Amino acid sequence: MSRRYARALVYPAPNHPPEIRRYPIPDLEPGAVLLRVLASEICGTDVHLFHGRLQGVPYPLIPGHVSVGIVEEKNGAVYDVEGRPINLGDRVTFLDVHATCNNCWYCLVAKATTRCPHRRVYGITYGAEDPPGLAGGWSEYLYLRPNTKLLHLPTEVSAATWMGGGCGLPTATHAIELAQIRLADRVLIQGSGPVGLSCAALALLSGAGWVGVVGAPELRLQLARRFGVDATFNIQTTTLQERQNAIKSLTGNRGPDVVIEASGNPQAILEGCELVRDGGRYVIVGQYTDNGDVLINPHLHINRKHLEIRGCWGSDFSHFYRAIEILKRFESRIHWSHFISRSYQLDEVPNALEDVEQQRVIKALITPNGPIDS
Amino acid sequence: MSRRYARALVYPAPNHPPEIRRYPIPDLEPGAVLLRVLASEICGTDVHLFHGRLQGVPYPLIPGHVSVGIVEEKNGAVYDVEGRPINLGDRVTFLDVHATCNNCWYCLVAKATTRCPHRRVYGITYGAEDPPGLAGGWSEYLYLRPNTKLLHLPTEVSAATWMGGGCGLPTATHAIELAQIRLADRVLIQGSGPVGLSCAALALLSGAGWVGVVGAPELRLQLARRFGVDATFNIQTTTLQERQNAIKSLTGNRGPDVVIEASGNPQAILEGCELVRDGGRYVIVGQYTDNGDVLINPHLHINRKHLEIRGCWGSDFSHFYRAIEILKRFESRIHWSHFISRSYQLDEVPNALEDVEQQRVIKALITPNGPIDS
Amino acid sequence: MSRRYARALVYPAPNHPPEIRRYPIPDLEPGAVLLRVLASEICGTDVHLFHGRLQGVPYPLIPGHVSVGIVEEKNGAVYDVEGRPINLGDRVTFLDVHATCNNCWYCLVAKATTRCPHRRVYGITYGAEDPPGLAGGWSEYLYLRPNTKLLHLPTEVSAATWMGGGCGLPTATHAIELAQIRLADRVLIQGSGPVGLSCAALALLSGAGWVGVVGAPELRLQLARRFGVDATFNIQTTTLQERQNAIKSLTGNRGPDVVIEASGNPQAILEGCELVRDGGRYVIVGQYTDNGDVLINPHLHINRKHLEIRGCWGSDFSHFYRAIEILKRFESRIHWSHFISRSYQLDEVPNALEDVEQQRVIKALITPNGPIDS
Amino acid sequence: MSRRYARALVYPAPNHPPEIRRYPIPDLEPGAVLLRVLASEICGTDVHLFHGRLQGVPYPLIPGHVSVGIVEEKNGAVYDVEGRPINLGDRVTFLDVHATCNNCWYCLVAKATTRCPHRRVYGITYGAEDPPGLAGGWSEYLYLRPNTKLLHLPTEVSAATWMGGGCGLPTATHAIELAQIRLADRVLIQGSGPVGLSCAALALLSGAGWVGVVGAPELRLQLARRFGVDATFNIQTTTLQERQNAIKSLTGNRGPDVVIEASGNPQAILEGCELVRDGGRYVIVGQYTDNGDVLINPHLHINRKHLEIRGCWGSDFSHFYRAIEILKRFESRIHWSHFISRSYQLDEVPNALEDVEQQRVIKALITPNGPIDS
């Protein structure tokens, strides 16, 4: 390979201006793969990382967890989970959650790999200076360590479609699995960010009889209605009481059978508990970081309702794999590429972070090697 | 029948002194059964009823929901759920929750009969003056309407054993069903009233690997230890921090796999969420009435924990039926009759109410026709 | 009401020519409803009934279980399961499985109402001469006894759409509930009769990633492909080995994640067990009557496969209710009215029976009061 | 270490007389552990291996899968699944199923590691001459490769208790997990070998209301009754009809709620399907090898019964881990060490194989370094 350096965007330290730095491309150990990055994403987590809101993150950091790229180099035979060889020039993606141990109590007994203490994540828990480096997607090249779980992106799925789903789609796939929607169930989604919108799309694909979304701003709710959501409720222009009345009357005067919280706002939990019908199910996936407490009434909100609440955090390989299968099947019905509002080059990251934080965009891409087709 | 009147204890109105009144014994309509009451119970609900804390209760009221008696009279052929005839002289009990409709959306579509709007309960929702009357167990005679779901008490199960379980045992049977304990799971019960103690007993019978109880007063915790509970934690003599440390170290430093809340205290919800292990299950059965709110952190307590919370309210016939089967099988291992601290005659009800309210007794019986064997 | 007689089609005895007879319209007891029948269906069961293949059927019999009609008369207030009043002139349908007892072990403890010994079915277990009569849908008028579970047909759902689903759609709704399809799962349906086709449609609506149908004749497979089935396999023109090869290669070389048997042929069980992937799920709904035995290898077909097999027989009110909700939501995607090949008047029943038996039609309607709009 | 050779029992080839051979003890690679074997077991699989009935087995072979021993040597730091260090002199056991890949579709997407194509098993799929050797428990020393999943045997659990459970206990733990027994359920076990007896013991510990065992010879049924089984049925002295009548009358005239097949006889499947109650559950764990076909009637045995059948093959680490926890908790109630009829030295293996094959013993141990305490 002639090019021996990669430009990458780096967070030097929490709340410090991002910089572009140049890193040498390391030699590959056996089983490793070098990816020329087509696209990575900016998600809410990257804003949290910028502000230093996650614990144990090794700055300086190259962000970028869910990414897609072209195999530029590899050392020895590498296979995907189906046993198909990974070849030079292949378009692949990979599970950002690297290195669950398959050897601890959580991996082996509880079968909850998201609680594995050895879990490491590209773009989050590997620092820019941890050898061999290049461990985040906001870089021209990504170094994928041996045993990274790789998957070919099927020809039906464009890079833009996959990145439009981004990390939100596997998370939503996990939430939908816990939601166990039955045909014709009425489903309410709280939150209209990438996770919430993907949850709404997946609820429609699961055969829900009615899907509503509570969120903001209007841009996102419009997108939701465009792909088939039955009703949206703008939290900036409606009161809690108005939403409750409207939703109740649209759901047989009992409330939705299933509510999925994907908002990140603790107060949404109270609203969700009140809205869901007696004997219903409530999946809480949005409280990914600590945004404070909420006051609930366990008698009214849980016990007397016979409510079932399921906390959902992160996703595992099965959700990641299923997300690709979903896109392959349903891209013609739900256009996930439309979730992308804009693509940014590495030097535009400061604007991108601001756009994401101000909710001016739904989903923002980083394309370190130049624009990609949508 | 020569005797045409029944003495019954009546709550004339909320917070008014209970009185003994004399009611005529009505003629039986076809399918009805007259029971000479052996025993009824005083549970926490009866204290709530005395203070008028439940809504829609038709005073004056003869309390007493779960009861056992001897068939004194019946009109026509009556059968139990197994198709066995109910004969004069039989010792029977019955599901206090009478008249779920089997015709509404909750009964037929959601299959959640505890949410049926037509649900009526002996001793709670039938007033003393609603014809035909005698609808509570604190009476010499109980009039059981047609289609009341009757069951014979097996010979292995004494009246005292059945009443020691009382209404708490079917409720605990429901909670244990939702808890889905696996062999060797570690289980913590919050609360040491009749429901909590029965949950602890059922967790032991389900093959739990460790059962702990958080509660008070010491009398109840002693009983728990006596029937096999591994560890008890007195909330009157330990701090939250001490309990957390102790419980964690006894449960593999991860916390219990399953926690069942049976305390009625909203703050217990916070403690339970903190104690249960990541990926565990939390059944909330104790918040039967509204005792106020609790502040929880949805990120720490639900989402990041992958917690599954299941609200459990009341019980249905299957739990009632299974409760009898449990007693038949396991009476020799767990002595439910020991839950009974004392029996009271009708004229002792004021003392009984005070003893229950002050937690001087674990379980109190009313024996309207005189003492029964234990 | 001026008209006091109803013409009805009667099976006098097994294998005797059907006759049209005239029955007096009885006076209505309180809670009863008289329906002017718009349409009833001929399903495979009606052919079995004609040949006397079901036990305990009281001939002479007016067949016709799932039916739709207009309320012509009623005695007193009658409500549907949502609590909405049933008024004269309303277009309603009803659960043909009348009178599960809500009082036996199967209803109350096992919660398996399809096993209730008191279960009675319009058009099957009430004879033409059992008072009050008119208990089958192949009649100008149907007498619905008190407590028959009625539902309004929503305006979105035409009578032809509802009858196109017929009794097969609630059954398929039950089977799909047991199948627990996840988004992008590969699903194979065995059988292309009304139940099989509805299962295929519901699998598509549930978000299956691939749906295949094994069946015959070509007419039915064509319909399946038209509404979106990915691949069909004609059992009349392919060998078992060809089908296995083709299906395996279309399902990731592992086989379908879920197989639903809806064929009625015992040999299909062997083929299904071989096709489903290791660790998959197999729902058996088609073996409604005894068509003989099948030789399986429990090691290869169940144990080593870790197979989960779920037998599914009949349906309950929840499936019937959900079937209507499904039609309301999805009629524009799957046109169930296209399942109807032809409508027949009462005097054309002999032809209709032959057409159904010879599989010349997919679904056949009986319209006792003349043609209805499709 | 002074001793550099290990004596081991070897199957040279199928149906050839076993021989004792002497192998050099290899140097340990990093992460490997050398175990001085206290005990290994002879189970039915070892008889199958002797006769060459399993495919793909690399002879010559040192048999012995589930084993326990003392850590004699190790290379570097080694930890158990709880993160506790493995030290010289520790008494440990290990999951015989080594090397599931955590990288294939079955491991990661289906989450069915027992179907992983890279699964390797000590004593079965590693030949005696595959380097580094010493891969079976019928040897003075066992070489455990890096990443073998080790667990300390708790002080409460004697080596004899653990080996009395042997490989049958984790398998039974898996079967019981699938059986989902509820308190007071009636449970029938088919088969009285080590898996069947452990299933019966675990059903009792799970709170079953009645446990019956169908099997032979009498010696095993006696043991079952001694540890608490309610009724046993000797297949050598009763007819199918007698068993059916007896079991039905002992299970409420409906049949057992749950049946677990652990017999290995294909005909047992037919008997099990007939015995289990309508709407019950049937776990099939005994058909570990191909013993031929069985004729069933899918209408009567599956569909009309609403039967749920769950195939269960092998076990994973969670069952192995839970088996130890179960022994720790319940050894005082069920004495698994009593399952052991006799211990054999390496040179007694031919007798041992014959005793197992003739069912003269329940469980036979191999103690390569001399007798152990029971």
Side-chain angles (χ1 to χ4, degrees):
Chain A
M1 202 174 94
S2 60
R3 178 169 186 181
R4 303 307 312 164
Y5 285 87
R7 290 170 70 240
L9 191 289
V10 176
Y11 288 172
N15 292 311
H16 278 59
E19 296 170 13
I20 293 180
R21 295 188 185 169
R22 224 161 142 253
Y23 290 98
I25 292 178
D27 289 336
L28 271 60
E29 61 199 306
V33 166
L34 186 71
L35 224 59
R36 184 161 59 78
V37 177
L38 290 171
S40 188
E41 67 172 340
I42 306 188
C43 83
T45 301
D46 298 305
V47 176
H48 293 318
L49 287 168
F50 176 65
H51 291 302
R53 288 191 201 118
L54 272 72
Q55 290 172 345
V57 174
Y59 296 89
L61 179 82
I62 307 174
H65 37 292
V66 170
S67 310
V68 59
I70 303 292
V71 176
E72 178 95 10
E73 206 178 327
K74 68 193 179 77
N75 186 341
V78 182
Y79 299 92
D80 74 5
V81 79
E82 306 273 18
R84 293 175 302 216
I86 301 285
N87 295 316
L88 296 187
D90 284 359
R91 200 172 48 134
V92 301
T93 185
F94 57 96
L95 183 64
D96 55 330
V97 179
H98 180 235
T100 54
C101 74
N102 197 35
N103 243 335
C104 72
W105 190 88
Y106 277 107
C107 280
L108 291 175
V109 181
K111 297 178 185 174
T113 59
T114 50
R115 298 287 83 205
C116 170
H118 303 99
R119 200 173 172 270
R120 303 296 299 273
V121 189
Y122 284 105
I124 299 181
T125 70
Y126 289 124
E129 286 161 17
D130 293 344
L134 298 183
W138 298 5
S139 166
E140 289 169 329
Y141 289 90
L142 236 170
Y143 181 102
L144 299 179
R145 301 167 184 224
N147 291 319
T148 295
K149 288 167 185 73
L150 289 146
L151 273 175
H152 289 92
L153 212 56
T155 50
E156 297 91 334
V157 181
S158 72
T161 293
W162 173 242
M163 293 310 303
C167 66
L169 182 58
T171 303
T173 302
H174 188 183
I176 282 288
E177 187 175 303
L178 296 180
Q180 293 185 289
I181 293 168
R182 291 197 289 188
L183 285 170
D185 272 354
R186 290 150 174 152
V187 180
L188 181 75
I189 314 296
Q190 299 179 287
S192 55
V195 174
L197 290 173
S198 276
C199 284
L202 298 185
L204 288 167
L205 296 176
S206 301
W210 178 89
V211 178
V213 172
V214 172
E218 196 52 34
L219 175 72
R220 298 177 174 204
L221 302 180
Q222 256 171 26
L223 176 65
R225 290 194 300 273
R226 226 160 56 217
F227 67 66
V229 160
D230 296 270
T232 60
F233 308 89
N234 191 323
I235 51 167
Q236 295 169 338
T237 61
T238 57
T239 65
L240 173 57
Q241 193 56 52
E242 286 167 350
R243 290 194 294 278
Q244 289 193 333
N245 293 346
I247 290 166
K248 200 145 202 175
S249 80
L250 288 164
T251 53
N253 291 316
R254 284 181 292 263
D257 300 292
V258 174
V259 176
I260 303 177
E261 185 280 332
S263 76
N265 183 337
Q267 292 309 310
I269 304 302
L270 177 61
E271 183 166 343
C273 285
E274 289 193 348
L275 286 170
V276 64
R277 75 159 167 86
D278 284 11
R281 189 173 294 126
Y282 189 17
V283 177
I284 295 178
V285 63
Q287 310 285 324
Y288 184 74
T289 49
D290 185 351
N291 288 313
D293 296 339
V294 60
L295 204 61
I296 62 163
N297 182 299
H299 167 64
L300 296 174
H301 294 140
I302 299 178
N303 180 288
R304 205 182 62 177
K305 279 217 158 181
H306 304 206
L307 191 57
E308 185 172 52
I309 300 176
R310 296 179 172 183
C312 175
W313 192 88
S315 49
D316 69 24
F317 183 81
S318 74
H319 308 114
F320 175 77
Y321 175 92
R322 198 173 287 275
I324 294 182
E325 296 291 305
I326 289 169
L327 291 177
K328 198 165 97 185
R329 175 73 169 182
F330 296 113
E331 211 292 326
S332 60
R333 269 183 64 200
I334 310 278
H335 304 295
W336 263 276
S337 59
H338 296 182
F339 286 28
I340 302 172
S341 303
R342 221 193 117 181
S343 291
Y344 300 82
Q345 305 309 309
L346 289 182
D347 55 10
E348 297 170 305
V349 161
N351 316 357
L353 283 169
E354 212 188 297
D355 288 351
V356 170
E357 197 160 8
Q358 301 302 321
Q359 304 202 328
R360 286 183 212 124
V361 293
I362 298 180
K363 185 112 206 153
L365 286 205
I366 303 295
T367 52
N369 287 294
I372 59 167
D373 294 340
S374 65
Chain B
M1 201 175 90
S2 59
R3 180 169 183 178
R4 302 306 315 162
Y5 286 88
R7 289 170 69 243
L9 190 289
V10 176
Y11 289 171
N15 293 310
H16 277 58
E19 297 171 10
I20 293 178
R21 295 189 185 169
R22 222 157 145 259
Y23 290 98
I25 292 177
D27 290 336
L28 272 61
E29 61 200 305
V33 165
L34 186 72
L35 223 59
R36 184 162 57 80
V37 177
L38 289 171
S40 188
E41 66 172 340
I42 306 187
C43 84
T45 302
D46 298 305
V47 176
H48 293 316
L49 287 167
F50 175 66
H51 292 301
R53 290 193 198 116
L54 272 73
Q55 289 171 346
V57 174
Y59 296 87
L61 179 81
I62 306 175
H65 37 292
V66 170
S67 311
V68 59
I70 303 291
V71 176
E72 178 94 13
E73 205 178 328
K74 68 192 179 81
N75 186 340
V78 182
Y79 299 91
D80 74 4
V81 80
E82 307 273 18
R84 292 176 301 217
I86 301 285
N87 295 316
L88 295 189
D90 284 358
R91 199 174 47 133
V92 301
T93 184
F94 58 95
L95 184 64
D96 56 330
V97 179
H98 181 236
T100 55
C101 74
N102 196 35
N103 243 335
C104 73
W105 190 88
Y106 276 107
C107 280
L108 291 176
V109 180
K111 297 177 184 171
T113 59
T114 49
R115 297 287 83 204
C116 170
H118 304 98
R119 198 173 173 271
R120 304 294 300 274
V121 188
Y122 282 105
I124 300 181
T125 70
Y126 290 123
E129 285 161 17
D130 293 343
L134 297 182
W138 299 5
S139 166
E140 290 169 330
Y141 289 91
L142 236 170
Y143 182 102
L144 300 178
R145 300 166 185 226
N147 292 319
T148 295
K149 289 168 184 73
L150 289 146
L151 273 175
H152 288 92
L153 212 55
T155 48
E156 297 91 334
V157 181
S158 72
T161 294
W162 172 242
M163 294 310 301
C167 66
L169 182 58
T171 303
T173 302
H174 188 184
I176 282 288
E177 187 175 303
L178 295 180
Q180 291 184 289
I181 293 168
R182 292 197 289 188
L183 285 170
D185 273 353
R186 289 149 176 154
V187 180
L188 181 75
I189 313 296
Q190 300 178 288
S192 54
V195 174
L197 290 173
S198 275
C199 284
L202 298 185
L204 287 167
L205 295 177
S206 301
W210 177 90
V211 178
V213 171
V214 172
E218 197 50 35
L219 175 70
R220 297 177 175 203
L221 302 180
Q222 254 171 27
L223 176 64
R225 290 194 301 272
R226 225 160 55 216
F227 66 65
V229 160
D230 296 270
T232 59
F233 308 89
N234 190 324
I235 51 167
Q236 294 169 339
T237 60
T238 56
T239 65
L240 172 56
Q241 194 56 51
E242 287 168 348
R243 291 195 293 277
Q244 289 193 332
N245 293 346
I247 290 166
K248 200 145 203 176
S249 80
L250 287 164
T251 54
N253 290 317
R254 283 181 293 265
D257 300 292
V258 174
V259 177
I260 303 177
E261 185 280 332
S263 75
N265 183 338
Q267 291 310 311
I269 304 302
L270 177 62
E271 183 166 343
C273 284
E274 290 194 347
L275 286 170
V276 64
R277 75 159 168 87
D278 285 11
R281 188 172 294 125
Y282 190 18
V283 177
I284 295 178
V285 62
Q287 309 285 323
Y288 184 75
T289 49
D290 185 351
N291 288 314
D293 296 339
V294 60
L295 203 61
I296 63 163
N297 182 299
H299 167 64
L300 296 174
H301 293 138
I302 299 178
N303 180 287
R304 204 182 62 177
K305 279 217 158 182
H306 304 205
L307 191 58
E308 185 172 51
I309 300 176
R310 296 179 172 183
C312 175
W313 192 87
S315 49
D316 69 25
F317 183 80
S318 75
H319 308 115
F320 176 77
Y321 176 91
R322 197 174 289 274
I324 293 181
E325 296 290 306
I326 289 169
L327 292 177
K328 198 165 95 184
R329 175 73 168 180
F330 296 113
E331 212 291 325
S332 60
R333 269 183 63 201
I334 310 277
H335 304 296
W336 263 276
S337 59
H338 295 182
F339 286 28
I340 303 173
S341 305
R342 219 191 119 181
S343 292
Y344 300 82
Q345 305 309 309
L346 289 181
D347 54 11
E348 298 170 302
V349 161
N351 317 358
L353 284 168
E354 212 187 296
D355 288 349
V356 170
E357 198 160 9
Q358 301 302 322
Q359 305 202 326
R360 282 183 216 125
V361 292
I362 299 180
K363 186 112 207 150
L365 286 205
I366 303 293
T367 51
N369 287 295
I372 59 168
D373 295 339
S374 65
Chain C
M1 201 174 92
S2 59
R3 180 169 184 182
R4 302 308 311 165
Y5 286 86
R7 288 170 70 241
L9 190 290
V10 176
Y11 287 171
N15 292 310
H16 277 58
E19 298 170 11
I20 292 180
R21 296 187 184 168
R22 225 160 141 254
Y23 290 98
I25 291 178
D27 290 336
L28 272 59
E29 61 199 304
V33 165
L34 186 72
L35 223 59
R36 183 161 58 79
V37 177
L38 290 171
S40 189
E41 67 173 340
I42 306 188
C43 84
T45 301
D46 298 305
V47 176
H48 293 317
L49 287 168
F50 176 65
H51 292 301
R53 287 192 200 117
L54 271 72
Q55 291 172 343
V57 174
Y59 297 88
L61 179 80
I62 306 174
H65 38 291
V66 170
S67 310
V68 58
I70 303 291
V71 176
E72 179 95 11
E73 205 177 328
K74 67 191 179 80
N75 186 339
V78 183
Y79 298 91
D80 73 5
V81 79
E82 307 273 17
R84 292 174 301 216
I86 301 286
N87 294 317
L88 296 188
D90 285 358
R91 200 173 49 133
V92 301
T93 184
F94 58 96
L95 184 64
D96 55 331
V97 179
H98 180 234
T100 54
C101 74
N102 198 33
N103 242 335
C104 73
W105 190 88
Y106 277 107
C107 280
L108 291 175
V109 181
K111 297 177 184 174
T113 59
T114 50
R115 297 287 83 202
C116 171
H118 304 98
R119 200 172 171 271
R120 304 295 299 274
V121 189
Y122 282 105
I124 299 181
T125 70
Y126 289 124
E129 286 162 16
D130 293 343
L134 297 182
W138 298 6
S139 165
E140 290 169 329
Y141 288 91
L142 236 170
Y143 181 101
L144 300 179
R145 300 165 185 226
N147 291 319
T148 295
K149 289 167 184 71
L150 290 145
L151 273 175
H152 289 92
L153 212 55
T155 49
E156 296 92 334
V157 180
S158 72
T161 293
W162 172 241
M163 294 310 301
C167 66
L169 182 58
T171 303
T173 302
H174 188 183
I176 283 288
E177 187 176 303
L178 295 180
Q180 291 185 290
I181 293 168
R182 292 196 288 188
L183 285 170
D185 271 354
R186 289 150 175 152
V187 181
L188 182 75
I189 313 297
Q190 300 179 287
S192 55
V195 174
L197 290 173
S198 275
C199 283
L202 298 185
L204 287 167
L205 295 177
S206 300
W210 178 88
V211 178
V213 172
V214 172
E218 196 52 34
L219 175 72
R220 297 178 175 203
L221 302 180
Q222 256 171 26
L223 177 65
R225 290 195 300 273
R226 227 160 57 216
F227 67 65
V229 160
D230 295 271
T232 60
F233 308 90
N234 191 323
I235 51 167
Q236 295 169 338
T237 61
T238 57
T239 64
L240 173 56
Q241 194 55 53
E242 286 168 350
R243 290 196 293 278
Q244 288 192 334
N245 293 346
I247 289 167
K248 200 144 202 177
S249 80
L250 287 164
T251 54
N253 291 316
R254 283 182 293 264
D257 300 292
V258 174
V259 177
I260 303 177
E261 186 279 333
S263 75
N265 183 337
Q267 292 309 309
I269 303 303
L270 177 61
E271 183 166 342
C273 284
E274 289 192 349
L275 287 169
V276 64
R277 75 159 167 86
D278 284 12
R281 188 172 293 128
Y282 190 18
V283 177
I284 296 177
V285 62
Q287 309 285 324
Y288 184 74
T289 49
D290 185 351
N291 288 314
D293 295 339
V294 62
L295 202 62
I296 63 162
N297 183 298
H299 167 64
L300 297 174
H301 294 139
I302 299 177
N303 180 286
R304 205 183 61 177
K305 279 215 158 183
H306 305 206
L307 191 58
E308 185 172 51
I309 300 176
R310 296 178 172 185
C312 175
W313 193 86
S315 50
D316 69 24
F317 183 81
S318 75
H319 308 114
F320 175 77
Y321 176 92
R322 197 173 287 274
I324 294 182
E325 296 291 305
I326 289 169
L327 292 177
K328 197 166 95 185
R329 175 73 169 181
F330 296 113
E331 211 290 326
S332 60
R333 270 184 63 200
I334 310 277
H335 303 296
W336 263 276
S337 58
H338 296 181
F339 286 28
I340 303 173
S341 303
R342 222 192 117 181
S343 291
Y344 300 82
Q345 305 310 309
L346 289 181
D347 54 11
E348 298 170 304
V349 161
N351 316 356
L353 283 168
E354 211 188 297
D355 288 350
V356 169
E357 197 160 9
Q358 300 302 322
Q359 303 202 327
R360 286 185 211 122
V361 293
I362 299 179
K363 186 111 207 153
L365 285 205
I366 303 295
T367 52
N369 287 294
I372 59 166
D373 295 339
S374 65
Chain D
M1 202 175 92
S2 59
R3 180 169 183 178
R4 302 307 314 163
Y5 286 86
R7 289 170 71 242
L9 190 289
V10 176
Y11 288 170
N15 292 310
H16 278 57
E19 298 171 11
I20 293 179
R21 295 188 185 167
R22 223 161 144 255
Y23 291 97
I25 292 178
D27 289 337
L28 272 61
E29 61 199 305
V33 166
L34 185 72
L35 224 59
R36 184 161 58 81
V37 177
L38 289 171
S40 189
E41 65 172 342
I42 306 187
C43 83
T45 301
D46 298 305
V47 176
H48 294 317
L49 287 168
F50 175 66
H51 291 301
R53 289 192 198 116
L54 272 73
Q55 291 171 343
V57 174
Y59 296 87
L61 179 80
I62 306 173
H65 38 291
V66 169
S67 310
V68 59
I70 303 291
V71 176
E72 178 94 12
E73 206 178 327
K74 67 190 180 82
N75 186 340
V78 183
Y79 299 91
D80 74 3
V81 79
E82 306 272 19
R84 292 175 300 217
I86 301 285
N87 294 317
L88 296 188
D90 283 359
R91 201 173 47 133
V92 301
T93 184
F94 58 95
L95 184 64
D96 55 330
V97 179
H98 180 235
T100 55
C101 75
N102 197 33
N103 243 334
C104 72
W105 190 87
Y106 276 108
C107 279
L108 291 175
V109 180
K111 297 178 184 173
T113 59
T114 50
R115 296 287 83 204
C116 171
H118 303 99
R119 199 171 173 272
R120 304 295 300 276
V121 188
Y122 283 104
I124 300 181
T125 70
Y126 290 123
E129 285 161 17
D130 293 344
L134 298 182
W138 299 5
S139 166
E140 290 169 330
Y141 289 91
L142 237 170
Y143 182 102
L144 300 178
R145 300 167 185 225
N147 290 320
T148 295
K149 288 166 185 74
L150 290 146
L151 273 174
H152 288 93
L153 212 55
T155 49
E156 296 91 334
V157 180
S158 72
T161 294
W162 172 241
M163 293 312 300
C167 67
L169 182 58
T171 303
T173 302
H174 188 183
I176 283 287
E177 187 175 304
L178 295 180
Q180 292 185 289
I181 293 168
R182 292 197 288 190
L183 285 170
D185 272 353
R186 289 149 175 154
V187 180
L188 181 75
I189 313 297
Q190 299 178 288
S192 54
V195 174
L197 290 173
S198 276
C199 284
L202 298 185
L204 287 167
L205 296 177
S206 300
W210 178 89
V211 178
V213 172
V214 172
E218 197 51 34
L219 175 71
R220 297 179 175 202
L221 303 180
Q222 255 170 28
L223 176 64
R225 291 194 302 271
R226 225 160 56 216
F227 66 66
V229 160
D230 296 271
T232 60
F233 309 89
N234 191 323
I235 51 167
Q236 296 169 338
T237 60
T238 56
T239 64
L240 173 56
Q241 194 56 53
E242 286 168 349
R243 290 195 293 278
Q244 288 193 332
N245 293 347
I247 290 166
K248 200 146 202 174
S249 80
L250 288 164
T251 54
N253 290 316
R254 283 180 294 264
D257 300 292
V258 174
V259 177
I260 302 178
E261 185 280 331
S263 76
N265 183 339
Q267 292 310 310
I269 304 302
L270 177 62
E271 183 166 342
C273 284
E274 289 193 348
L275 286 170
V276 64
R277 75 159 168 87
D278 285 11
R281 188 172 294 126
Y282 190 17
V283 177
I284 295 178
V285 64
Q287 308 285 324
Y288 183 74
T289 49
D290 185 351
N291 288 314
D293 296 339
V294 62
L295 203 61
I296 62 163
N297 183 298
H299 167 64
L300 296 174
H301 294 139
I302 299 177
N303 179 287
R304 204 182 63 176
K305 277 216 159 181
H306 304 206
L307 190 58
E308 185 171 53
I309 300 177
R310 296 179 172 183
C312 175
W313 193 86
S315 50
D316 69 24
F317 183 81
S318 74
H319 308 114
F320 176 77
Y321 176 92
R322 197 174 290 273
I324 293 182
E325 297 290 306
I326 289 168
L327 292 177
K328 199 165 94 185
R329 175 72 168 181
F330 296 112
E331 212 291 325
S332 60
R333 269 183 63 200
I334 310 276
H335 304 296
W336 263 275
S337 58
H338 295 182
F339 286 28
I340 303 173
S341 303
R342 218 191 121 181
S343 292
Y344 301 81
Q345 305 310 309
L346 289 181
D347 53 10
E348 297 170 303
V349 161
N351 317 357
L353 284 168
E354 212 187 296
D355 288 349
V356 170
E357 198 160 8
Q358 301 302 322
Q359 303 201 328
R360 284 184 213 123
V361 292
I362 298 179
K363 186 112 207 151
L365 284 205
I366 304 294
T367 52
N369 287 295
I372 58 167
D373 295 340
S374 64

